[in-house]
Amino acid sequence: MSTRPDTDQYRELFLNDIPLMDVRAPVEFARGSFPNTVNAPLMNDEERHRVGICYKEKGQDEAIRLGHQLVAGDIKAERIAAWKRFALEHPEGYLFCFRGGLRSRLTQQWMREAGIEYPLVKGGYKALRRFLIDTLDDIVRSGTFHIISGRTGTGKTRVLHEMPNPIDLEGLANHRGSSFGRQVTPQPSQIDFENALAVAMLKASEKGGPIYLEDESRLVGRCALPLDLRERMSSAPLLILERPLNERIDIIREDYVEDMVKAFRERDGEAAGWENFRDYLLSALDRIHKRLGGDRHQHLRQVMEQALTEQAATGDPTGHNDWIKSLLTDYYDPMYDYQLSQKSGRIVTAGGPRDLVDWAALAETA
């Protein structure tokens, strides 16, 4: 493998989806890292903890000595083997630690002794994170944004992906943004969400033109939108997506019933998957019981339970249409109509999916 220099070209790393190897401890990686990054730690959490205590009490030299004692023999061989696999699979990649210092240099040294030269990211995680924070701030401040809004069930995310320059906030947050929005896989950490958002913004800004986003509240599940972005979104032009009620019911049933039961069964198996899906659906309804009111919540829960019983017995999910229709017309639509009344001056177009896509295409050529 030919020698490549260490890099501080952070923009190119993210724009080109360059694979990165994070040699920080797992606990650091779990707090947040970057897209296209694999954790291959120099030290595990316990080893890092012990070395950290030693550093505070006895200084750097003793801490380094302890680290070499803890990561030796078979443990050292296993970690070098993991780094070699990454390097051979990703010859264009780079490694990093927190500041691009001791851990990165030691990883490089041990890889070199094993016959592989592999470059690092100068400044490490801290510099990469700072670059993304500054990049996101700059784009939010200077960029142009168009927002796709519409009643629940109009399929805003589907239309978003047909726009010229979209960023899917719900996709980045791995959550659909409502009480029913939880996915079968966990949401990213807040830092992971922010980093992924910054990378998406960087790529979108390179394309030029307006960036299209779906209308979201401050929180998408437990991932918080940056305040500056939320403020820009709250004043940006609105494209209102409209669909008939029957189509909205079908979309909600597909997204939250048919797709979710399939996802739970793929993850957990047939029987456990069904029970976990059932719990997901009922729990989502229970989370809004105060806003629904006791009587309405109890009625909708009975309808939902009957639909689940029918689906379990026959495989037919259309029994869910009744509670979906009621929830849309009696709960979500009144909330949306009130919110939209506060935004009427921002609307630039309204219509079905084709109308919005055509409007965006014309705006690109104007």
Side-chain angles (χ1 to χ4, degrees):
M1 184 178 294
S2 61
T3 301
R4 292 180 294 127
D6 298 336
T7 187
D8 58 3
Q9 300 301 303
Y10 312 127
R11 176 182 295 271
E12 283 66 31
L13 291 176
F14 291 122
L15 283 176
N16 296 308
D17 295 324
I18 299 300
L20 300 173
M21 184 171 75
D22 186 343
V23 302
R24 297 177 303 153
V27 66
E28 297 172 282
F29 182 81
R31 289 192 202 108
S33 196
F34 308 103
N36 303 300
T37 300
V38 170
N39 188 212
L42 173 67
M43 293 183 290
N44 65 26
D45 295 337
E46 175 61 23
E47 292 157 357
R48 172 179 173 268
H49 178 67
R50 291 177 61 183
V51 168
I53 292 174
C54 182
Y55 179 86
K56 291 178 182 178
E57 295 178 349
K58 300 179 180 180
Q60 186 181 53
D61 290 344
E62 286 298 318
I64 292 172
R65 188 174 293 110
L66 176 60
H68 280 283
Q69 291 173 1
L70 294 173
V71 184
D74 290 343
I75 294 174
K76 179 179 177 180
E78 288 173 4
R79 290 178 194 172
I80 293 173
W83 301 335
K84 288 179 66 175
R85 282 195 300 273
F86 183 89
L88 293 171
E89 291 171 4
H90 306 288
E92 75 280 26
Y94 294 85
L95 66 89
F96 67 89
C97 64
F98 184 64
R99 290 189 180 90
L102 187 59
R103 284 184 285 181
S104 288
R105 299 294 178 186
L106 185 56
T107 301
Q108 279 188 317
Q109 177 188 328
W110 287 359
M111 292 180 74
R112 188 178 301 115
E113 291 169 357
I116 292 182
E117 295 281 350
Y118 208 66
L120 60 77
V121 178
K122 296 177 182 178
Y125 169 86
K126 191 173 182 181
L128 290 165
R129 171 76 171 152
R130 182 76 260 163
F131 169 79
L132 289 181
I133 290 172
D134 293 343
T135 295
L136 183 58
D137 287 346
D138 289 344
I139 294 171
V140 168
R141 184 170 55 251
S142 62
T144 301
F145 300 96
H146 288 166
I147 309 301
I148 297 177
S149 188
R151 289 188 172 95
T152 301
T154 49
K156 296 182 288 295
T157 304
R158 301 178 185 191
V159 173
L160 174 70
H161 284 281
E162 296 187 56
M163 292 296 167
N165 201 6
I167 292 179
D168 183 357
L169 297 172
E170 293 184 356
L172 296 174
N174 196 34
H175 197 284
R176 290 194 176 105
S178 70
S179 174
F180 291 83
R182 177 170 67 89
Q183 304 281 23
V184 298
T185 52
Q187 286 194 263
S189 71
Q190 179 64 27
I191 291 175
D192 277 337
F193 171 69
E194 291 171 3
N195 286 343
L197 173 59
V199 172
M201 284 283 187
L202 176 62
K203 292 178 177 180
S205 70
E206 289 287 308
K207 293 180 182 178
I211 296 172
Y212 287 82
L213 302 168
E214 186 176 339
D215 203 0
E216 300 289 352
S217 61
R218 169 98 166 93
L219 291 174
V220 185
R222 59 178 174 80
C223 292
L225 297 182
L227 283 173
D228 289 349
L229 176 60
R230 188 70 194 98
E231 289 175 4
R232 287 297 312 277
M233 291 173 66
S234 68
S235 61
L238 286 175
L239 290 71
I240 306 299
L241 179 59
E242 300 170 338
R243 283 188 196 262
L245 179 60
N246 65 307
E247 292 182 13
R248 294 167 58 207
I249 292 170
D250 287 344
I251 287 172
I252 292 292
R253 191 189 66 249
E254 290 169 9
D255 286 351
Y256 296 95
V257 176
E258 296 170 24
D259 289 351
M260 288 301 289
V261 71
K262 180 181 178 182
F264 274 107
R265 281 171 165 163
E266 287 177 351
R267 187 191 72 177
D268 304 326
E270 190 71 21
W274 172 259
E275 288 303 317
N276 290 333
F277 161 71
R278 186 178 187 278
D279 178 68
Y280 146 79
L281 210 57
L282 292 169
S283 296
L285 184 66
D286 290 345
R287 278 193 291 275
I288 56 173
H289 77 276
K290 289 184 179 178
R291 283 176 281 173
L292 289 171
D295 291 343
R296 183 163 57 174
H297 168 259
Q298 185 177 9
H299 170 69
L300 287 176
R301 205 178 200 280
Q302 290 172 349
V303 175
M304 183 181 283
E305 287 175 338
Q306 179 57 42
L308 286 164
T309 299
E310 180 180 334
Q311 184 182 5
T314 67
D316 182 5
T318 56
H320 291 279
N321 289 4
D322 290 339
W323 67 261
I324 294 172
K325 179 180 180 181
S326 178
L327 207 56
L328 289 177
T329 58
D330 299 334
Y331 177 68
Y332 283 110
D333 285 0
M335 280 198 305
Y336 174 78
D337 291 342
Y338 171 76
Q339 293 167 357
L340 185 62
S341 70
Q342 314 299 306
K343 309 173 183 177
S344 56
R346 295 164 48 204
I347 299 172
V348 294
T349 190
R354 194 73 258 153
D355 298 315
L356 268 59
V357 172
D358 290 345
W359 182 93
L362 286 172
E364 283 284 295
T365 60

